[in-house]
Amino acid sequence: MSALLPPMTLPLRRKPPLATKKQPAQQRATETYERILEVTAQTLADVGIERLSTNLVCERAGLTPPALYRYFPNKYALLSELGQRLMQHQNVVVARWITREVIDGPLDGVERALEGLIVDTYEVTKNTPGGVWIMRALRAVPALQDVRLASHAAVTQEQARLLAQALPQTPLAELTLVSRTVVELIYATVEMIFDEPLDVKAVARMVAGMLASHMVHLRHTAAG
């Protein structure tokens, strides 16, 4: 009878460094930095995540690899910076639509705000160079997962804070779970609209109605 072999342990895949090496300090350096990101976004839209490479970006931007590597150690660092910028643009939309006044107001106002948020998040992403591909990269590339999750966590915290002001009797843990779920469902809805030929406003209206209906439950529970 042969001895049992110890279980195999697979080596952990190290995440590539995502931080920029340095920030540009002078105008010419800033122009180069922004040019690299601009070309990366366009190249990503043209060739997709798998074929994107720093060499291709350099070729299209008319730069030498050392000029790019002065700021970005690899293509994932490029995607990370683009992802953070896209998330920031999307988060501005959240702050514009979801306010304390909306949360305190009538249910149809909450529903309209959620619908507007979904449509505007779609529009911001569509109008960002390479936006849909940046969004897909944040979902598909494990090394970039933290960019998406950190942004969603920040929005969740802010929305849970607003809900807690309106519904102080409801446990914060429940409101945080509600906020996190809403953030993820809105993000997934926007991804779905890009993936399929759907009516943006129709989808936004339906999803907004579904999400807003939970506010009835929260208010009823808080009042009881």
Side-chain angles (χ1 to χ4, degrees):
M1 181 174 169
S2 60
L4 293 176
L5 295 175
M8 292 181 62
T9 56
L10 297 176
L12 295 177
R13 180 176 294 179
R14 295 178 60 185
K15 286 186 177 181
L18 300 181
T20 55
K21 291 184 175 180
K22 61 181 292 187
Q23 290 293 322
Q26 299 179 355
Q27 181 177 351
R28 184 173 180 180
T30 299
E31 291 173 355
T32 300
Y33 186 89
E34 294 300 326
R35 172 68 176 158
I36 291 170
L37 291 172
E38 176 187 340
V39 172
T40 299
Q42 186 57 58
T43 304
L44 179 64
D46 291 343
V47 306
I49 301 167
E50 293 300 325
R51 291 180 58 199
L52 178 71
S53 69
T54 53
N55 286 338
L56 186 55
V57 171
C58 289
E59 178 183 331
R60 289 188 168 200
L63 298 171
T64 63
L68 184 148
Y69 290 132
R70 184 177 300 126
Y71 304 106
F72 301 98
N74 51 60
K75 76 174 186 178
Y76 301 105
L78 289 165
L79 291 172
S80 176
E81 178 65 23
L82 290 173
Q84 291 179 61
R85 292 185 177 199
L86 176 62
M87 296 280 100
Q88 289 168 2
H89 294 325
Q90 292 176 341
N91 294 351
V92 168
V93 176
V94 177
R96 186 164 65 239
W97 279 105
I98 308 301
T99 64
R100 174 69 188 276
E101 290 72 24
V102 167
I103 293 174
D104 282 337
L107 188 64
D108 60 347
V110 175
E111 189 170 338
R112 283 195 302 272
L114 288 167
E115 179 182 345
L117 171 58
I118 293 169
V119 172
D120 278 5
T121 301
Y122 166 80
E123 291 293 337
V124 164
T125 306
K126 183 180 73 172
N127 293 329
T128 298
V132 62
W133 282 100
I134 296 168
M135 183 178 68
R136 287 169 176 163
L138 294 178
R139 175 75 70 180
V141 180
L144 302 175
Q145 177 176 282
D146 289 346
V147 175
R148 175 175 54 86
L149 293 180
S151 175
H152 287 189
V155 175
T156 295
Q157 184 177 17
E158 175 60 19
Q159 295 308 305
R161 184 186 68 81
L162 293 177
L163 284 173
Q165 292 175 356
L167 304 166
Q169 300 90 344
T170 305
L172 181 59
E174 180 180 350
L175 298 178
T176 300
L177 178 60
V178 169
S179 299
R180 180 67 185 87
T181 302
V182 169
V183 168
E184 193 62 37
L185 288 175
I186 288 176
Y187 196 79
T189 298
V190 173
E191 287 184 315
M192 180 182 71
I193 294 171
F194 278 112
D195 288 342
E196 301 181 38
L198 300 171
D199 185 316
V200 177
K201 291 187 176 180
V203 172
R205 190 176 307 115
M206 179 178 63
V207 173
M210 295 167 63
L211 296 176
S213 67
H214 192 69
M215 182 61 74
V216 176
H217 168 73
L218 289 175
R219 289 175 175 175
H220 177 75
T221 302

